Amino acid sequence: YVMSYEQKINEKTMVKLEAYLQEISRVPIDTAFNGTYSLLNTSGGIPTNVLENAGSGKNKGIELTIERFYAKDFYYLITASLFDSKYQNKNTIWNNTIYNNGFAGNILIGKEYKMKKNNSISLNIRYIGRGGNRYTPINLSESIKKSTTMLDNTQLYEAQYPNYWRLDFSISYKKNKTKSTWSYGADIQNVTDHQNIISNSYDNTNKNIKNSYAL
C-alpha cells in the first residue's frame, strides 16, 4: 500500500513525499517452532536449515525526496527515510529484521565546469548515512566456556551496530571531439576512511569479541 504526494517547487526542483506499508507472506523460515532463520534476514548463500513457507514480514515507512534537475551545470538530490522492518517465524513473535536500521539518508551534489572546445570537468560529492544493522548479541561467557560462538537468542536482533555513514567524491573530465567523446574519471568512496562496523564475531584465541569493518 502506497500513498504519494509530489509537488514541483519551481521549474528546476521537485519534492515528493511517500508513505508505504508492505505485508509479506509465505516467507521461507525454519520448520522448528523456536527456529530463528528467515529468508528476510539473508543477503546471500544457501541455507542449511529445513525450511517451509510459513513466515511473515512487514515493512512500513515514510520517504522524502528533494530533487533539483540538472540546470545551469548544477544538480542535487536529497533523500530521507524513516522505516520499521519486522519478521515473524512459527512462534508468531514479531522481531526486528537485520535491516531494521530505523532511518536512511542520501545527499548527492554535482557541478559541471565548461572549458574550451566544449570540454568540461564534473565534480560530484555524496553523503550516505543510515542506522546500523541489527544483530543478535554474542553471549561471551558461554562462548568462552564452549570455545565457539554462542548467541543470546533471548535478544534476537535487538542489538544495533553504530550508525553507518560515508562520504564519496568523484571527478571526471569530458573531452569532445568531432566524431567521439572521451571521458576520464576517478571515483573515491569513503574519502574520510571512516570505520563502519558491519559485523562482530567471537575470537576464541583472545577470548573476546572482535569487530569487522566495511571496506
Side-chain angles (χ1 to χ4, degrees):
Y1 308 91
V2 179
M3 185 168 61
S4 180
Y5 175 78
E6 187 172 320
Q7 178 68 47
K8 289 189 73 174
I9 298 176
N10 51 48
E11 292 183 356
K12 304 180 183 67
T13 310
M14 179 271 293
V15 175
K16 182 177 181 180
L17 187 65
E18 188 170 272
Y20 64 88
L21 171 63
Q22 179 187 35
E23 297 178 346
I24 308 168
S25 61
R26 294 182 53 80
V27 177
I29 60 170
D30 198 314
T31 54
F33 180 78
N34 289 318
T36 60
Y37 179 87
S38 170
L39 195 68
L40 295 181
N41 295 316
T42 305
S43 60
I46 299 174
T48 57
N49 312 61
V50 178
L51 305 179
E52 63 177 320
N53 295 88
S56 302
K58 58 183 177 182
N59 300 306
K60 58 184 177 181
I62 186 168
E63 297 182 346
L64 173 68
T65 301
I66 304 174
E67 181 177 7
R68 175 191 158 96
F69 308 112
Y70 184 82
K72 295 183 178 180
D73 306 322
F74 175 70
Y75 78 95
Y76 63 78
L77 175 66
I78 301 171
T79 62
S81 177
L82 298 174
F83 59 91
D84 184 54
S85 178
K86 295 287 199 297
Y87 80 100
Q88 186 183 66
N89 279 8
K90 294 192 72 172
N91 59 12
T92 68
I93 297 174
W94 287 104
N95 295 300
N96 294 311
T97 68
I98 190 174
Y99 306 109
N100 194 16
N101 314 105
F103 74 93
N106 183 80
I107 301 174
L108 177 62
I109 301 173
K111 174 70 175 175
E112 190 171 77
Y113 297 92
K114 301 297 185 183
M115 302 176 68
K116 295 179 180 179
K117 298 181 180 180
N118 203 30
N119 300 334
S120 62
I121 290 180
S122 178
L123 302 176
N124 301 276
I125 190 167
R126 177 175 64 175
Y127 174 84
I128 299 172
R130 62 169 171 78
N133 281 354
R134 299 281 181 165
Y135 68 98
T136 303
I138 295 173
N139 187 324
L140 183 57
S141 60
E142 285 296 309
S143 298
I144 293 173
K145 187 185 301 182
K146 297 184 179 180
S147 299
T148 188
T149 302
M150 298 297 295
L151 300 179
D152 182 0
N153 286 325
T154 63
Q155 302 183 61
L156 195 62
Y157 294 112
E158 287 298 314
Q160 188 171 17
Y161 294 116
N163 293 342
Y164 176 103
W165 67 268
R166 78 170 201 249
L167 191 67
D168 301 337
F169 174 77
S170 68
I171 181 172
S172 63
Y173 172 67
K174 185 184 292 183
K175 186 173 184 178
N176 293 294
K177 294 188 175 183
T178 306
K179 296 183 179 181
S180 63
T181 298
W182 291 80
S183 182
Y184 311 87
D187 184 4
I188 307 170
Q189 295 187 358
N190 195 16
V191 294
T192 63
D193 195 29
H194 180 67
Q195 298 297 296
N196 289 298
I197 300 175
I198 57 169
S199 66
N200 61 20
S201 59
Y202 171 64
D203 183 352
N204 193 44
T205 301
N206 297 307
K207 307 298 182 185
N208 62 10
I209 298 172
K210 65 177 183 180
N211 295 322
S212 296
Y213 298 89
L215 295 177

